[in-house]
Amino acid sequence: MSEDQNGVLYVVGIGPGAKQHLTPAALEAIADAELVVGYSTYIGLVRDLLVGKEVIRTGMTEEIGRARAAVERARAGAKVALVSSGDAGVYGMAGLVFEVLREMNWKRNEPPELRIVPGITALNSCASLLGAPLVHDFCAISLSDLLTPWPVITRRIEAAASADFVIGLYNPASGRRTRQIVEAHDIICRYRPGTTPVGLVKSGYRSAQYVVMSDLDHFLDYEIGMLTTVLVGSSNTFLFEGYMVTPRGYTNKYTWDGKVLPGQRPARSLNYAEPETEPR
Amino acid sequence: MSEDQNGVLYVVGIGPGAKQHLTPAALEAIADAELVVGYSTYIGLVRDLLVGKEVIRTGMTEEIGRARAAVERARAGAKVALVSSGDAGVYGMAGLVFEVLREMNWKRNEPPELRIVPGITALNSCASLLGAPLVHDFCAISLSDLLTPWPVITRRIEAAASADFVIGLYNPASGRRTRQIVEAHDIICRYRPGTTPVGLVKSGYRSAQYVVMSDLDHFLDYEIGMLTTVLVGSSNTFLFEGYMVTPRGYTNKYTWDGKVLPGQRPARSLNYAEPETEPR
């Protein structure tokens, strides 16, 4: 390793874990790195790419140390790849990297050079295994209250449920943290019927992949843990042949022959009539 | 093309457009297909992969015809790839495919075999160009009211703004549709200060890439169109050296040396004190 060069810090999302969903950009970043830093599980997912490289793998609660180690070594001239599963920018290490750089009073024209490499986040990889649940407005909420006050989280669940978003729940539960998903369920049930489709995906695109199609009334009967992503449908989401589908709304305007419905115009605002709402 | 085999329908997200962000799974799906179907712009992004293949490219408002053509040909035995930019499951063609199949009374054990291939959606690719804006809870809202009643959309903007989500706006405007982004701005301004960071990305990872870092008070001064994604920060999002960053919350519990702050415990719920909220 030559630390006299200008350092580069790649912040890399490796996607769900399978090689077929790792982008060439992520692969190249890891290949170019002398040092690869990550949580042990993520490092394991790309271990065959790490031959001849220095590796720092740390536990789940050591994120600050991991981010600092990556930044400091890159600042000193190394090429470093900090890897997260999914997208490093979604509940991943990208935010912490910037916080560490700010704490160091780093300036943009100084080393290390930063390269954020996007990846396929759990929301999208899990959706592809369930069908097409995210084809209309959705939100992502982490149920982990280790770093976020629980009332902030419940306020978001309530808002998302009331405004009919499809809801993706990250970090729904852990060995110790089991109450949050029950509370989330209870809040959502105030706004949506028990028949609302709910999909669970554990370890999507990994060898232990486990996909469950359920509904609001029944999904708590299944195992939900650290590696599970929960997708709760909107009022428009339907189940079809074991798939979870949220329509985009084409049938509001068109027939199946592609003809425009009476009262509608293509490429114009949907003409709607809702009794509760003042028409424009 | 041999239509006597069992047909396969790949529904493929090609990511933002650059080859480095196209996954091997997406590449393989397109390579395996005899027929590739897509909106003209998306077909153009992968045109060098299409040598020797049949291609159906259609305009923006012909989604139903495109989905039907893809499904019907695959049902008849062809290997078909229906491509969308980003992730086909996010405001993409995946939903319509299932609606068409339902309309045909298709059963899961019948041909065609369905394979949904996830891709990097605009939210994630644009975030990687802006810094780390999506590291905490976020939502995606399309401002297109061509298929969705506008009051449904404004209700979602209001809920997302009030509950402090980072907000990603898809389809913020088009040549004809310019009022929606102004109304969205006005709603969000009721809940967030004018200094809230707002990032704009047009054609991210394509040759015409255009990235703007602005704020709520000023982002409407910039060009916003069909190919722009707008990311509005939460109350915690900050600007740092031209990057937009939403922290995950580590400094609520830890010092920069990784020590636990007084009153907090690692791997336990955040101990918080909010005057408006009943402590648990």
Side-chain angles (χ1 to χ4, degrees):
Chain A
M1 189 177 63
S2 58
E3 306 238 327
D4 52 342
Q5 64 195 349
N6 274 340
V8 178
L9 178 54
Y10 297 99
V11 185
V12 182
I14 61 170
K19 288 288 155 24
Q20 309 100 279
H21 300 289
L22 180 76
T23 65
L27 196 64
E28 284 163 24
I30 294 170
D32 190 43
E34 297 148 310
L35 168 65
V36 178
V37 182
Y39 172 51
S40 301
T41 305
Y42 308 156
I43 289 289
L45 292 170
V46 293
R47 61 182 170 276
D48 57 316
L49 305 177
L50 305 180
V51 178
K53 297 181 190 297
E54 187 185 356
V55 174
I56 298 179
R57 60 178 84 199
T58 59
M60 197 55 168
T61 56
E62 298 159 44
E63 287 89 352
I64 292 180
R66 207 189 308 157
R68 281 187 59 162
V71 168
E72 281 165 8
R73 288 290 294 278
R75 207 181 195 195
K79 289 180 176 174
V80 179
L82 180 60
V83 302
S84 289
S85 72
D87 184 303
V90 175
Y91 306 114
M93 295 291 285
L96 198 47
V97 162
F98 285 106
E99 290 191 86
V100 166
L101 288 166
R102 186 169 67 160
E103 177 68 15
M104 289 178 174
N105 204 24
W106 173 83
K107 303 293 172 203
R108 193 160 181 162
N109 59 356
E110 294 175 1
E113 183 187 338
L114 282 188
R115 299 191 195 163
I116 317 287
V117 181
I120 294 175
T121 184
L123 210 53
N124 298 282
S125 56
C126 296
S128 71
L129 293 166
L130 292 168
L134 301 180
V135 176
H136 214 305
D137 305 331
F138 61 88
C139 63
I141 301 173
S142 169
L143 293 191
S144 171
D145 66 348
L146 300 188
L147 303 171
T148 305
W150 181 241
V152 170
I153 301 170
T154 56
R155 185 161 62 110
R156 288 183 181 149
I157 300 166
E158 181 108 28
S162 73
D164 205 23
F165 282 93
V166 176
I167 303 174
L169 299 173
Y170 281 74
N171 309 307
S174 69
R176 184 175 278 158
R177 214 168 38 73
T178 57
R179 196 178 33 77
Q180 284 82 0
I181 185 68
V182 179
E183 284 195 41
H185 162 271
D186 295 349
I187 294 168
I188 298 169
C189 281
R190 283 186 228 136
Y191 297 92
R192 300 196 192 163
T195 53
T196 303
V198 176
L200 310 179
V201 179
K202 182 184 171 192
S203 301
Y205 294 107
R206 300 183 195 170
S207 54
Q209 175 179 306
Y210 174 68
V211 178
V212 172
M213 198 64 76
S214 182
D215 61 27
L216 259 186
D217 273 349
H218 299 94
F219 81 94
L220 290 177
D221 299 343
Y222 297 88
E223 188 196 327
I224 296 177
M226 285 274 284
L227 300 174
T228 310
T229 302
V230 179
L231 278 167
V232 181
S234 74
S235 66
N236 291 317
T237 305
F238 61 85
L239 276 181
F240 165 66
E241 290 296 309
Y243 292 104
M244 180 176 175
V245 181
T246 306
R248 181 83 176 79
Y250 292 98
T251 53
N252 294 338
K253 185 174 269 183
Y254 298 99
T255 69
W256 286 113
D257 300 321
K259 294 204 176 65
V260 178
L261 291 169
Q264 301 292 349
R265 287 189 301 172
R268 294 299 173 106
S269 296
L270 187 70
N271 193 3
Y272 59 89
E274 280 191 309
E276 311 91 332
T277 315
E278 191 79 5
R280 293 177 310 145
Chain B
M1 189 177 61
S2 59
E3 305 239 328
D4 53 343
Q5 63 195 349
N6 274 340
V8 179
L9 178 54
Y10 296 99
V11 185
V12 182
I14 61 169
K19 289 285 157 25
Q20 308 102 278
H21 301 288
L22 180 77
T23 65
L27 197 63
E28 283 162 25
I30 295 170
D32 190 44
E34 299 148 308
L35 168 65
V36 178
V37 181
Y39 171 50
S40 301
T41 305
Y42 309 157
I43 290 288
L45 291 171
V46 293
R47 61 183 171 275
D48 56 318
L49 306 176
L50 304 181
V51 178
K53 297 180 189 299
E54 186 186 358
V55 173
I56 299 179
R57 60 179 82 200
T58 57
M60 197 55 167
T61 55
E62 298 158 45
E63 287 89 353
I64 291 179
R66 208 189 308 157
R68 281 187 61 161
V71 167
E72 281 164 8
R73 289 288 294 278
R75 205 180 194 195
K79 289 180 176 174
V80 179
L82 181 60
V83 301
S84 288
S85 72
D87 184 303
V90 175
Y91 306 114
M93 295 291 285
L96 198 47
V97 162
F98 286 106
E99 289 190 85
V100 166
L101 287 166
R102 186 169 66 161
E103 177 68 15
M104 288 177 174
N105 204 23
W106 174 83
K107 302 294 173 203
R108 192 160 179 161
N109 59 356
E110 294 175 1
E113 182 187 340
L114 281 189
R115 299 190 194 165
I116 317 287
V117 181
I120 294 176
T121 182
L123 209 53
N124 298 280
S125 57
C126 295
S128 72
L129 292 167
L130 292 168
L134 300 180
V135 175
H136 214 306
D137 304 332
F138 62 87
C139 62
I141 302 173
S142 168
L143 293 192
S144 171
D145 66 348
L146 300 188
L147 302 172
T148 305
W150 181 241
V152 170
I153 301 171
T154 57
R155 185 160 63 110
R156 289 183 181 150
I157 300 167
E158 182 109 27
S162 73
D164 206 22
F165 282 94
V166 176
I167 304 173
L169 300 173
Y170 281 74
N171 309 309
S174 68
R176 184 176 278 158
R177 213 167 40 70
T178 56
R179 197 178 33 77
Q180 285 83 359
I181 186 66
V182 178
E183 282 194 43
H185 162 271
D186 295 349
I187 294 169
I188 297 170
C189 281
R190 283 186 227 137
Y191 296 93
R192 299 196 192 164
T195 54
T196 303
V198 176
L200 310 179
V201 178
K202 182 184 170 190
S203 301
Y205 294 108
R206 299 183 196 169
S207 55
Q209 177 179 304
Y210 173 69
V211 178
V212 172
M213 197 65 75
S214 182
D215 61 27
L216 260 185
D217 273 350
H218 300 94
F219 81 93
L220 289 178
D221 298 343
Y222 297 88
E223 187 196 327
I224 296 176
M226 285 274 283
L227 300 173
T228 309
T229 302
V230 178
L231 277 166
V232 181
S234 75
S235 66
N236 291 316
T237 305
F238 61 85
L239 276 181
F240 165 65
E241 290 294 310
Y243 291 105
M244 180 175 175
V245 181
T246 306
R248 181 81 175 79
Y250 291 98
T251 53
N252 294 339
K253 184 173 270 184
Y254 298 99
T255 69
W256 286 112
D257 300 323
K259 294 204 176 65
V260 178
L261 290 171
Q264 300 294 347
R265 287 189 301 171
R268 295 299 174 105
S269 295
L270 187 70
N271 193 4
Y272 58 88
E274 279 192 309
E276 311 89 332
T277 315
E278 191 79 6
R280 293 177 308 146

